[in-house]
Structures are given as structure tokens and as C-alpha cells.
Amino acid sequence: DSKSMSESKCVKLAFDSLCLVSKTLTQLESGGLSIVKFGETVKEVHPFGEQFSGEAGAKAFQWFGFQETKTDIRRLVAESIKIFERSSVFASGDQWRLQIVISDGVCEDHETVQRLVRRARENKIMIVFVIIDGINSSESIMDMSQVKYVTDQNGNMQLKIDKYLDTFPFEFYVVVHDISELPEMLSVILRQYFADLASS
């Protein structure tokens, strides 16, 4: 629900993606569905246990304003774990749960987020990050870099430039430019995840 989504012209694609994912999961009768909006704050706008429908989706969408000035991915992951834990839909601790995050992918403090993602996995929550890459933006997330200072073996500070996605804290992510790409990309990444799960 952050301002950066509207500034990079991602709102329509994000809503289209949310509709597609919600409809697919409902048709597959995959269990409970929850929708959460996030930016600086996190709010569950469609709770687990409530039937999802076109009317429920429209009601959930009314909560989005895309005006929040910060995107706190740490808070999102931490709050999501709590939402899954509170839900009676998941009474059995043996079930794997799926969280699909739809965002422009820009987040801070990758190390802390990585620790939270590991904690989610320990709690049998699989997180797939759908990065909506800016439609009319001058810069693609694929081209973004981040700069940081690291200490070398002599104790001197060195400037280090990494590709942004090289340190992205989510193991399972897809970059989407067009809604038509989403079903195939999600199916590829979910197959990869379940193959990884089966072999571990």
C-alpha cells in the first residue's frame, strides 16, 4: 500500500495480480485465504475463515490508498507469521502455508528480513515474492544496484556495489512486467519450491 507502487505505475498490475491469485486459490479450494495490505503499517483486510468472493475482494480493495511513505517488509513478514499462527484454519501444525507478497520489491535491511524469512520457513510458511516491475519507470529492479562500505582484511573501508537482486532476502521470487506472465512464472517457482522441499 506504499506510494512507490503508484509512482512506478504498478497499482493496476498489482490489483490484477491479486485478483488472479485470489481467484485461482479459491477455485483450487486451497483452504483459507487472507489478504493483507502493507506499507509502513500492516492490516489484514480480508481475514482467514471468511469466504472469498467478488464482493469480498471489492471490499478488501477499498482499504488500499497507495499513500504510505514507507514499505516495512520486516514488519510484514513478522506480522504475517502472527496472522498464520492466530488462524484456526491452520489448527494442524503439519500443514505448509503459502504467502504470496505482491510489491515493487524495494525493501531495506535484507539481513533482518532474511532471518524472518527463515523463521517463517521453520513455521512451515512458504513466502513467494511477486515483484511488480515498474511499467513506466525509468529503472527496472533488474538494473538497480546498492552501495555499501565493507571492511577488507587490512581493516580498511572499501566501497562495494552489488546488484540489488543479488542480496534480495527472499529465495523464491518472480519479476513480473505483464499480468499474462504471472501464472506461468508462479507455477515455475512453486514447482521449484516443492522440489526443494521434497529433497530436504
Side-chain angles (χ1 to χ4, degrees), residues 8-186:
S8 59
K9 312 281 192 288
C10 293
V11 172
K12 184 182 183 321
L13 187 52
F15 276 152
D16 288 348
S17 302
L18 181 56
C19 287
L20 180 67
V21 168
S22 302
K23 187 177 177 185
T24 304
L25 293 175
T26 303
Q27 285 176 340
L28 292 172
E29 297 179 0
S30 59
L33 174 71
S34 167
I35 298 173
V36 172
K37 78 176 190 89
F38 65 98
E40 198 165 355
T41 60
V42 175
K43 179 174 180 54
E44 190 177 22
V45 296
H46 177 80
F48 285 119
E50 275 188 25
Q51 186 70 31
F52 186 78
S53 63
E55 188 181 317
K59 205 160 119 184
F61 283 4
Q62 289 176 352
W63 285 98
F64 290 85
F66 297 99
Q67 292 301 312
E68 295 203 32
T69 53
K70 188 177 177 215
T71 305
D72 192 338
I73 298 291
R74 287 173 305 220
R75 179 177 283 178
L76 169 69
V77 178
E79 288 298 318
S80 297
I81 293 169
K82 290 177 190 170
I83 289 168
F84 277 117
E85 285 172 351
R86 281 195 309 260
S87 173
S88 60
V89 173
F90 304 106
S92 161
D94 289 340
Q95 282 181 310
W96 275 89
R97 284 81 48 99
L98 173 64
Q99 177 174 359
I100 299 173
V101 180
I102 301 171
S103 172
D104 58 15
V106 178
C107 61
E108 298 169 358
D109 194 1
H110 286 194
E111 287 177 19
T112 303
V113 174
Q114 262 177 336
R115 282 195 296 275
L116 285 165
V117 169
R118 278 195 298 274
R119 195 171 116 215
R121 189 175 176 138
E122 286 163 9
N123 286 296
K124 295 196 170 188
I125 301 166
M126 171 196 172
I127 304 176
V128 173
F129 206 109
V130 177
I131 299 171
I132 305 294
D133 205 14
I135 312 303
N136 297 322
S137 175
S138 58
E139 185 177 33
S140 167
I141 198 161
M142 309 290 272
D143 303 323
M144 283 173 59
S145 297
Q146 56 185 12
V147 178
K148 65 180 176 182
Y149 284 95
V150 292
T151 310
D152 67 13
Q153 66 263 22
N154 301 322
N156 299 320
M157 296 299 280
Q158 296 288 325
L159 184 66
K160 187 178 178 202
I161 301 173
D162 290 317
K163 283 279 192 193
Y164 178 78
L165 287 178
D166 287 348
T167 62
F168 195 63
F170 295 86
E171 182 182 357
F172 299 99
Y173 69 89
V174 291
V175 179
V176 175
H177 305 277
D178 185 314
I179 187 66
S180 64
E181 302 169 350
L182 186 60
E184 186 183 351
M185 289 179 126
L186 270 180

